[in-house]
Amino acid sequence: TLQFGPLTLLGGIRSEQTDVTAVGNLNDPAQPSVHSIHRDAGYRVNDPSAQLKYQFTRQLLARLSYSTGFTRPNFTAMYPNTTVAYNDATGLGTVTQNNPGLGPQRLTAWEVGAHAGTGHLDGNAGAFYRTSRDTVTDARSFADNVLVTSKQNGGQARSGGITGSLDWTPDAALRLGVDGGAYRVVLDTPDLAGPVRQAGVAGYLNLRAVYRVGRDDVALDAHGQSAALTPLGRRGATSSVNLTWKHALSKTLGLTVNANDLFDGSARAYRTDASTFHQAGFEHFVARRIYVGFVKKIE
């Protein structure tokens, strides 16, 4: 860290070595001792980062940051196994072919932002530009009426957008907040016919409110995520509204009631359109829950 009056420079680097040893069977993962193979895969990453901050006043701060990073592939996708399954209803066979040679997804991000605060208001605004390469994507093909699915590196992505947040505390009992963002995404995904480019705009919005009076504490938060692109496809929008009530029965004992996803907004449609594979459907994880509990503080 270097300090030059109101200017602060922070920098660093993270170095990491990852080694993967996979043992399995190409024909029958249930019998790894038969015709088993041993495969070592690994990679080293060096990720620098830097942040520049300028303090204009006690209430106003501007910052510029640069960072690099990586996302590891799922280790189960690196096992050297082939899993075979059959759908008796259609007669269509499915094969999952893992890829021990998968590497990490590389990430780079530039961000600029500002923070301002007063007695009752606190806000942030920013813009970002992010890129990723060697993204792990699904590779699908048909062979003798059998769908073969594997993982591969090769996808590219770029995104740029704006974010903002605002918190308002009008008095000691009430606190309100909102944050959100909008961004444009460009995806380049390998397919049998060649790279496929997709572009679209997405966004999110979060609302929160907390009210405290006497022995009661009530908190409400709402979340919304728009539809967004996925490699060679698209996923639908989701939302959730959660409510929490806490009541102090004594100095050390409290009652807590949580109600999650009040309006059951977790259902999400999805679609995939590859050159050899078309799929559409929806996922619905019922997250509507009510929890009632007691919290005892030990003093």
Side-chain angles (χ1 to χ4, degrees):
T1 302
L2 299 177
Q3 184 81 40
F4 305 97
L7 184 66
T8 304
L9 175 63
L10 301 91
I13 186 170
R14 184 183 70 173
S15 181
E16 185 169 334
Q17 173 69 39
T18 300
D19 295 305
V20 179
T21 300
V23 179
N25 185 277
L26 289 175
N27 298 311
D28 187 358
Q31 302 181 38
S33 62
V34 181
H35 303 297
S36 63
I37 66 173
H38 181 93
R39 173 73 178 267
D40 290 321
Y43 43 83
R44 177 187 294 275
V45 292
N46 297 293
D47 294 318
S49 62
Q51 185 180 72
L52 189 65
K53 298 191 297 184
Y54 192 90
Q55 192 81 44
F56 291 95
T57 66
R58 293 184 59 184
Q59 291 81 28
L60 181 60
L61 168 71
R63 59 185 179 275
L64 172 67
S65 64
Y66 166 80
S67 63
T68 60
F70 72 98
T71 302
R72 296 186 184 92
N74 192 321
F75 284 136
T76 59
M78 302 176 69
Y79 296 160
N81 298 328
T82 299
T83 303
V84 181
Y86 290 94
N87 186 334
D88 294 334
T90 64
L92 179 66
T94 62
V95 173
T96 300
Q97 175 66 65
N98 293 328
N99 183 0
L102 285 177
Q105 173 179 308
R106 306 293 296 145
L107 309 170
T108 303
W110 287 91
E111 299 185 24
V112 60
H115 170 264
T118 63
H120 298 286
L121 287 173
D122 189 86
N124 289 277
F128 65 86
Y129 177 73
R130 299 167 186 159
T131 63
S132 67
R133 55 184 173 85
D134 297 329
T135 306
V136 177
T137 59
D138 289 327
R140 300 182 178 93
S141 61
F142 280 98
D144 297 327
N145 204 36
V146 174
L147 174 64
V148 181
T149 302
S150 185
K151 301 288 186 180
Q152 64 179 355
N153 291 107
Q156 313 284 333
R158 301 189 307 276
S159 65
I162 56 174
T163 61
S165 68
L166 183 65
D167 288 282
W168 179 40
T169 309
D171 53 52
L174 180 64
R175 185 171 73 250
L176 304 173
V178 57
D179 67 87
Y183 51 92
R184 176 178 170 81
V185 178
V186 178
L187 302 178
D188 291 293
T189 307
D191 200 10
L192 288 182
V196 176
R197 171 160 293 190
Q198 302 164 265
V201 177
Y204 67 92
L205 181 67
N206 301 313
L207 304 172
R208 51 194 174 274
V210 178
Y211 184 70
R212 295 184 177 93
V213 56
R215 295 187 175 187
D216 295 292
D217 187 325
V218 180
L220 177 71
D221 61 271
H223 312 273
Q225 172 69 54
S226 73
L229 294 175
T230 60
L232 301 179
R234 190 173 183 84
R235 67 170 182 266
T238 59
S239 63
S240 66
V241 178
N242 309 307
L243 180 66
T244 301
W245 171 50
K246 297 180 181 180
H247 178 72
L249 300 173
S250 67
K251 291 183 177 180
T252 59
L253 181 63
L255 169 67
T256 299
V257 179
N258 292 330
N260 296 339
D261 197 11
L262 295 177
F263 303 106
D264 194 21
S266 60
R268 178 167 62 187
Y270 62 87
R271 184 178 183 87
T272 302
D273 291 300
S275 59
T276 58
F277 184 82
H278 299 277
Q279 182 184 43
F282 70 93
E283 300 171 332
H284 187 194
F285 300 98
V286 180
R288 182 184 292 171
R289 298 285 190 275
I290 295 180
Y291 301 91
V292 180
F294 294 91
V295 177
K296 175 68 175 179
K297 297 180 181 179
I298 301 176
E299 297 181 345

